[in-house]
Amino acid sequence: MRGQGNARSSRALGVSWYPATWHPRLDMGRLHRPRSSTSHRNLPHLFLFFLFVEPFSCLASHSRATELLYSLNEGLPAGVLIGSLAEDLRLLPRSAGRLDPHSQLPERTGAEWNPPLSFSLASRGLSGQYVTLDNRSGELHTSAQEIDREALCLEGGGGTAWGGSVSISSSPSSDSCLLLLDVLVLPQEYFRFVKVKIAIRDINDNAPQFPVSQISVWVPENAPVNTRLAIEHPAVDPDVGINGVQTYRLLDYHGMFTLDVEENENGERTPYLIVMGALDRETQDQYVSIIIAEDGGSPPLLGSATLTIGISDINDNCPLFTDSQINVTVYGNATVGTPIAAVQAVDKDLGTNAQITYSYSQKVPQASKDLFHLDENTGVIKLFNKIGGSVLQSHKLTILANGPGCIPAVITALVSIIKVIFRPPEIVPRYIANEIDGVVYLKELEPVNTPIAFFTIRDPEGKYKVNCYLDGEGPFRLSPYKPYNNEYLLETTKPMDYELQQFYEVVVVAWNSEGFHVKRVIKVQLLDDNDNAPIFLQPLIELTIEENNSPNAFLTKLYATDADSGERGQVSYFLGPDAPSYFSLDSVTGILTVSTQLDREEKEKYRYTVRAVDCGKPPRESVATVALTVLDKNDNSPRFINKDFSFFVPENFPGYGEIGVISVTDADAGRNGWVALSVVNQSDIFVIDTGKGMLRAKVSLDREQQSSYTLWVEAVDGGEPALSSTAKITILLLDINDNPPLVLFPQSNMSYLLVLPSTLPGSPVTEVYAVDKDTGMNAVIAYSIIGRRGPRPESFRIDPKTGNITLEEALLQTDYGLHRLLVKVSDHGYPEPLHSTVMVNLFVNDTVSNESYIESLLRKEPEINIEEKEPQISIEPTHRKVESVSCMPTLVALSVISLGSITLVTGMGIYICLRKGKKHPREDENLEVQIPLKGKIDLHMRERKPMDISNI
């Protein structure tokens, strides 16, 4: 199966290859086989499919031109294996050294081609930027230049070209993006021309982005429900397929709108705004929301823009008068051009839809029209001609307010003309404050006693007394202005607040003693000042969010009010200087977001300020505090303070004694940070307290049975799902001196050894050998003779380190018999050394002729005085002092030897030969317990009964 031999894959890195004629409906399955591991193939494997020619191209399978198609994800690191041309072209030999039957290359034997195969690009182009080709193995790898599909296809345009070794292909009608290479297989006798296509697969590495940050949509206020309006400037995502823009949504639908997405033939998605309720511009003329575009990646990426929905006006309102009739009084001596009244209608529409013109009704007589002029734009009625004696005293003026496409509104002005014999008082105003068309404009922050106007009150006849007073309500005062007569000053009496009342109307009334009254209406319009700062609904804004949140996560929408009007009441929102950079606040909508993932273990609480600033001059602002608490998620495993713990415990440690504390922490909080400890292995011996982490042994531990223990402790937190970790615990038992030395030789107190009288001084005769199960100084053994009995037992000496017993002096005739040495074997343990004793029996004689006699001597309890002298072992090398032997004993010994029988001489020869092969211990050896060789045990030592070892 050839497919199995070349189907190398790695879904993690997303690299694969397909035959050029592959189609999803024809894909009968993909065969895979593991690829041999190499150092650079430890990266995730590759998906690979070989290119087979179509069935009708049977002759083409033997041609030297071949096509290969590979596929890989964009953004892969350098060194990722794309494919092996040698394997995929079936250029590798079979195990028998022969090629695949379909290969046109000649047979070869051995491990290598001769001459070797060579792979190369037809020419150098962009190949060095994106791929590298191994000339020997034919393996294609990604280069250090990271492949960006969006940039690569943009550079490649829309065409496909094989010119050069590398080119780029991108089809406008599909999502394909190809990197094209021409590869030559040499030498000439193996020549192949291979066309390699590398399809670059898209990953979700780009977020949707709107081309503009502010999008405006205008909807007529009479738009019916379900009206659909396309939103211009849809979001753009360079990614393709499912990674492109998939859906849109609004952050706030205001209960009036919804969104729908339509997809055209090219797969482009356009958001449509759908009206879901009745609109009224006069009630609300604008809606502001955030439109969010979301792609289909995992996790999805988001883009947003501010969507302003403006409600356009239609002519759905007509002019209206507040009153249906007004009464006007005109004196017969009124001056021509004097305004006698003004009518005003209101139209709630805007622009041309709200234009109003005034006209008389056709019912108004022409004589009235000639006497009173009506301004068609302002609605002001003025006296147009002088009132004569024949003029009617009552006029009914029917006035129409005309709007485009509307039925006129009607108001009636009843004008009464009072014929006077005497001229009425006159009121002459001189304005100090700003006055336009009879309206005085005052700033709300003007101080108390701000002058508005001077009024001169006078009698034209000069013979009547005229009084003046102020009629109406408001913070105003009309007082005589001394020292002048008939001069009055109108001024304010207290501060005025635009937010409480914007308009005042007061009347100055003058009357004389004849009862004639004259009124002058003064209209005062307050102008708004920026005297109010924005106010947050809450000075402390407490928020919560779970850690590991998605990027650009919504936190809250801030809202502040400003009592001022116009631009002075428009509020913008800003982050305070103490806010971290990864928090964002939309200045228009007040939407607060966080652009990055928050980690509670890194920081749990955030506290910073936000500002609300109006557009007044100078601007005013207020500050609120945002307190954000990051809620915990179980995203941290328990962590031991050390990977390995080691404890040193003295042996014979009591059961359930405290060995040591296993410290473990969990960065999470609450139940997620609660940790339970347990022993994974050897739980029959050890146990651990969950709360304190104290490790204990259930039983007493003996170092001589086992010197160390290795166990694993598992820590599991209380999260859902639970996370865990393990640590290695090593327990080393420290030795204590609980074992006395054990004498191995001699094996019994009843054993004895024959010592020939001819033994030379300094010759070893036997040894005491003991071992100690403890270690260190507890196992260092010292030997000493603490009791002697016999003819001359002081003739024998024991080495404190080795236990070797040697003859110190030559044996005399008087030394024949049984010598008994009580040897103490002691360790150097702390605080109290332990010891054992053994009886060493030496029988000095030429032969053992009567064993029963010797045994009877051994059975008797020896009367031995115990010496209290402790053995001393010197660490430094010691030098034995060879005591000089007196001449007389030497002469006697020589005489005995010379006169001895041939048997004695022969025995001495044998003895000397045996002693030559014995290894003498060096005096500078380290203090160690040495196990003696079997050859060191004298053949004359005979065991009669088991060794009786007594402890002192």
Side-chain angles (χ1 to χ4, degrees), residues 878-900:
T878 59
H879 299 280
R880 180 185 301 173
K881 295 182 180 180
V882 179
E883 299 179 356
S884 61
V885 183
S886 62
C887 295
M888 183 56 68
T890 305
L891 293 176
V892 174
L894 291 176
S895 300
V896 173
I897 294 173
S898 61
L899 297 176

Side-chain angles (χ1 to χ4, degrees), residues 569-624:
Q570 293 180 2
V571 180
S572 300
Y573 303 92
F574 302 96
L575 291 172
D578 55 344
S581 60
Y582 38 83
F583 288 94
S584 300
L585 179 59
D586 190 292
S587 62
V588 177
T589 63
I591 293 177
L592 181 64
T593 58
V594 57
S595 61
T596 186
Q597 284 190 347
L598 299 180
D599 187 355
R600 188 204 66 83
E601 290 71 39
E602 180 179 343
K603 189 171 184 180
E604 181 178 7
K605 293 184 179 295
Y606 295 86
R607 193 179 184 92
Y608 54 90
T609 57
V610 291
R611 299 185 302 127
V613 183
D614 62 23
C615 297
K617 295 181 180 180
R620 302 175 71 95
E621 67 177 53
S622 61
V623 178

Side-chain angles (χ1 to χ4, degrees), residues 116-352:
L117 292 178
S118 173
F119 299 85
S120 62
L121 297 174
S123 63
R124 295 293 175 182
L126 298 176
S127 58
Q129 295 185 19
Y130 303 111
V131 297
T132 59
L133 174 63
D134 191 300
N135 295 337
R136 297 293 298 274
S137 65
E139 290 186 345
L140 274 173
H141 294 83
T142 57
S143 68
Q145 176 68 35
E146 183 179 287
I147 297 178
D148 185 352
R149 181 189 177 280
E150 291 74 33
L152 186 64
C153 290
L154 184 61
E155 292 174 2
T160 302
W162 290 95
S165 61
V166 178
S167 60
I168 301 165
S169 171
S170 176
S171 174
S173 61
S174 66
D175 295 338
S176 62
C177 178
L178 299 178
L179 186 66
L180 310 178
L181 302 91
D182 292 342
V183 179
L184 302 179
V185 181
L186 298 175
Q188 188 63 34
E189 53 267 33
Y190 310 143
F191 175 75
R192 285 283 185 93
F193 180 71
V194 184
K195 290 181 176 291
V196 178
K197 298 180 180 180
I198 302 176
I200 310 302
R201 288 201 298 263
D202 182 50
I203 64 173
N204 192 26
D205 57 344
N206 292 280
Q209 186 175 5
F210 287 91
V212 293
S213 59
Q214 301 280 343
I215 301 176
S216 297
V217 177
W218 288 95
V219 183
E221 62 177 324
N222 64 342
V225 176
N226 294 327
T227 297
R228 300 169 65 88
L229 298 161
I231 297 178
E232 298 181 357
H233 310 295
V236 177
D237 194 327
D239 296 324
V240 296
I242 191 65
N243 294 329
V245 177
Q246 298 298 313
T247 185
Y248 293 85
R249 68 175 185 273
L250 290 180
L251 195 60
D252 187 356
Y253 291 92
H254 297 285
M256 302 294 294
F257 306 96
T258 187
L259 278 184
D260 190 16
V261 180
E262 291 187 3
E263 184 175 356
N264 60 16
E265 298 177 353
N266 296 328
E268 297 176 350
R269 289 178 168 85
T270 302
Y272 279 81
L273 183 71
I274 302 178
V275 179
M276 301 300 294
L279 302 175
D280 186 1
R281 188 205 62 81
E282 289 71 34
T283 303
Q284 185 169 350
D285 61 353
Q286 179 178 280
Y287 298 88
V288 179
S289 183
I290 300 296
I291 183 171
I292 299 174
E294 181 176 333
D295 62 24
S298 180
L301 301 180
L302 308 176
S304 63
T306 300
L307 178 64
T308 301
I309 305 171
I311 309 303
S312 59
D313 184 55
I314 64 169
N315 192 25
D316 58 344
N317 290 280
C318 289
L320 292 175
F321 287 107
T322 56
D323 298 314
S324 61
Q325 178 178 308
I326 60 174
N327 296 316
V328 180
T329 300
V330 179
Y331 291 97
N333 59 351
T335 305
V336 175
T338 301
I340 63 170
V343 295
Q344 185 177 9
V346 178
D347 192 325
K348 294 182 180 181
D349 293 326
L350 292 177
T352 58

Side-chain angles (χ1 to χ4, degrees), residues 90-102:
R90 302 185 179 183
L91 300 182
L92 295 180
R94 295 188 173 182
S95 59
R98 299 179 63 88
L99 284 173
D100 188 282
H102 298 289

Side-chain angles (χ1 to χ4, degrees), residues 367-403:
S368 298
K369 294 179 181 180
D370 294 339
L371 183 61
F372 303 103
H373 176 266
L374 174 64
D375 191 306
E376 64 176 4
N377 294 318
T378 63
V380 175
I381 303 172
K382 295 181 180 181
L383 183 62
F384 191 67
N385 289 309
K386 187 176 181 179
I387 299 175
S390 61
V391 174
L392 295 176
Q393 295 183 355
S394 178
H395 297 265
K396 183 178 181 181
L397 306 178
T398 302
I399 302 171
L400 306 179
N402 304 291

Side-chain angles (χ1 to χ4, degrees), residues 608-870:
Y608 54 90
T609 57
V610 291
R611 299 185 302 127
V613 183
D614 62 23
C615 297
K617 295 181 180 180
R620 302 175 71 95
E621 67 177 53
S622 61
V623 178
T625 300
V626 175
L628 175 64
T629 301
V630 183
L631 303 180
D632 184 57
K633 293 180 70 175
N634 192 28
D635 58 344
N636 289 277
S637 300
R639 184 175 182 180
F640 291 91
I641 61 172
N642 296 317
K643 295 182 179 178
D644 298 326
F645 292 84
S646 297
F647 297 102
F648 294 88
V649 181
E651 64 174 330
N652 302 331
F653 197 66
Y656 290 97
E658 297 179 352
I659 295 176
V661 176
I662 309 300
S663 298
V664 62
T665 61
D666 194 313
D668 294 322
R671 186 172 183 82
N672 295 332
W674 180 84
V675 180
L677 296 173
S678 61
V679 178
V680 177
N681 62 322
Q682 301 196 25
S683 58
D684 56 333
I685 302 177
F686 298 96
V687 67
I688 191 168
D689 297 339
T690 295
K692 298 181 179 179
M694 181 63 69
L695 181 65
R696 306 173 186 269
K698 297 180 181 179
V699 297
S700 180
L701 305 177
D702 188 356
R703 189 202 64 81
E704 285 71 37
Q705 293 183 1
Q706 186 171 343
S707 61
S708 65
Y709 295 87
T710 300
L711 55 145
W712 294 88
V713 172
E714 182 181 34
V716 181
D717 63 21
E720 290 292 339
L723 301 177
S724 64
S725 61
T726 57
K728 180 182 178 182
I729 313 297
T730 301
I731 300 174
L732 302 174
L733 297 182
L734 301 177
D735 183 54
I736 63 173
N737 194 26
D738 59 345
N739 291 282
L742 176 64
V743 179
L744 300 180
F745 185 83
Q747 297 180 354
S748 171
N749 288 338
M750 302 299 291
S751 301
Y752 67 91
L753 178 68
L754 176 64
V755 179
L756 297 178
S758 59
T759 303
L760 296 176
S763 300
V765 295
T766 186
E767 67 176 348
V768 177
Y769 179 70
V771 294
D772 196 313
K773 294 182 180 180
D774 296 321
T775 60
M777 294 302 294
N778 295 332
V780 176
I781 297 175
Y783 302 88
S784 63
I785 299 175
I786 62 173
R788 304 171 187 265
R789 183 177 177 80
R792 194 159 58 95
E794 64 272 6
S795 300
F796 298 95
R797 175 183 175 275
I798 189 168
D799 189 302
K801 293 188 294 183
T802 64
N804 289 337
I805 299 176
T806 58
L807 180 64
E808 289 293 299
E809 299 177 355
L811 296 175
L812 305 177
Q813 290 292 337
T814 58
D815 295 332
Y816 281 70
L818 182 63
H819 296 256
R820 310 196 74 175
L821 306 176
L822 182 60
V823 178
K824 180 180 180 181
V825 184
S826 177
D827 60 25
H828 283 62
Y830 179 84
E832 291 293 334
L834 302 178
H835 67 270
S836 301
T837 59
V838 65
M839 189 68 75
V840 178
N841 302 303
L842 302 175
F843 186 67
V844 179
N845 202 8
D846 294 329
T847 61
V848 179
S849 58
N850 191 349
E851 292 186 3
S852 60
Y853 169 71
I854 298 174
E855 292 176 357
S856 65
L857 294 176
L858 294 175
R859 283 194 291 270
K860 294 180 180 180
E861 287 293 333
E863 296 180 2
I864 299 177
N865 294 325
I866 303 300
E867 301 175 3
E868 296 300 329
K869 182 180 180 180
E870 292 295 333

